[in-house]
Amino acid sequence: WMKEKKRLEEIAVRMGRNYASLEDEAQVGVYHFGDEESDRELVYAIFLDSIRKRVTVVFRGTTTALDLKQDLRAIPKAIENPIKGMKGISANVRVHLGFYEYLFANERKKQEQITEDSIRKVDQDKTLSEVERNQLRERLLQQKTQVKRHLEDWETEFGESIESKYDLIMNQAIAILKENPGFKLYITGHSLGGALATLFSANAALHESPYVQKPVTCISFSSPKVGNISFKKTFERMEEDGLIRKVRVLNGLDLIPKTPSLGVFRVLLYVLCPWNVNNEFSHVGIELKLKGTGFIISYDRHDARWLLLADTWRTIKGFIYLFHLIFFLRITKLLYYHTCSEILVRLRNYYEELQKHNIDDLYGRIKKGETGILSRITISKSDRSQKGKNKDAEIKRRKANFIRNSALPTFTAEQRNSSVPEKIE
């Protein structure tokens, strides 16, 4: 409780409001937590934040073997462009197959496939007796029936057909937005979750529900690439129309956001098949790159040749860094720079400087035609050292306050001997 109170006090200071006024209206918590089949499908949660007036959809990053399998299915899948017909916008876009199927696969067909695969494994298991095998088959069929019943219950509640995870999550979010008029929709996630957040937000921004206010905001962390250049052009058009805005947060030495990519072979692809260069994967939105010495905020438009050269150079630097880690036996650093904890540390270190940049202002500058590097902040070693000392002192101060304020009440001898202790004020 004391930690929650401290957090609300900090929010009140940032918003220029009185803590008491926030405490009365504060309603922060999880409304939905989709982890029923956490080892077989994506995991998500939907949060309500009445202080900031947000409904936030959060996707989990890579955790299970199936998550990793979906990550590796980096095959471009052609899908119909939802805003086709506009000038300069192609009829189809290509997106990462694994990410797309995780979010948009037909739930009923997927459950049938899972049940069939599980039954096949049971039938092939020679260690089971016939009775055990029949019991397992019956249990799997019951699970499939239960999933279908849940989908039917959701369809009855929402009054709409639920075909995919996207449909389910979107309807759950809209139900919360309907109960809280004026709240905005935010989507976020780390790694795989960041990729799912990008796809989800692109579709949510085109949703016609009056309860989904525009723009929809997506904040992804360490996300891999999701779609091709055509997808990027479509995303940029949606940004121009005020439907969506996106910030990609990543560590400068994290290799995951550079994937999937053909790397240096992209140059060869452009020379031999220049008409096919638009099918290469590319990032979308504003990039916030956190480095050990500061941060860079940038925005690249869809020029295929420029992106080709820029991404190729980044890939070369990535290979150099990878060789450096392997050569010096520091391969564990690859995972270290991809973690949420390292991102959080750097965000805290640069908090004061980041507060000077507003997402609305950044998109205002982009709308005026600014591209490339929008801001570059470099912090000296002495300043970083001082910030680190100040941060450690602040952490110690907060711990001391928490321990002092949360001390257990003491009882007198009479109170201890009494069957009903007096109320301690």
Side-chain angles (χ1 to χ4, degrees), residues 357 360-370 373-375:
H357 298 84
D360 294 324
D361 296 338
L362 291 173
Y363 268 102
R365 292 168 59 184
I366 292 169
K367 202 166 185 178
K368 294 177 181 178
E370 288 191 50
I373 296 177
L374 302 177
S375 179

Side-chain angles (χ1 to χ4, degrees), residues 297-361:
I297 301 175
S298 61
Y299 182 84
D300 292 329
R301 289 198 178 273
H302 60 255
D303 187 300
R305 286 172 293 183
W306 161 247
L307 291 173
L308 171 75
L309 296 174
D311 278 0
T312 300
W313 172 239
R314 291 173 188 143
T315 304
I316 292 173
K317 290 199 299 183
F319 276 118
I320 294 173
Y321 174 65
L322 178 61
F323 174 78
H324 169 80
L325 292 181
I326 296 175
F327 184 77
F328 290 101
L329 302 178
R330 299 177 65 192
I331 197 67
T332 54
K333 283 285 185 180
L334 286 175
L335 297 177
Y336 172 73
Y337 286 117
H338 187 62
T339 59
C340 291
S341 58
E342 178 60 16
I343 291 177
L344 186 58
V345 167
R346 293 187 176 184
L347 286 174
R348 286 174 174 168
N349 288 343
Y350 309 141
Y351 176 77
E352 294 179 4
E353 289 76 14
L354 287 170
Q355 281 288 91
K356 301 173 184 177
H357 298 84
N358 183 283
I359 189 171
D360 294 324
D361 296 338

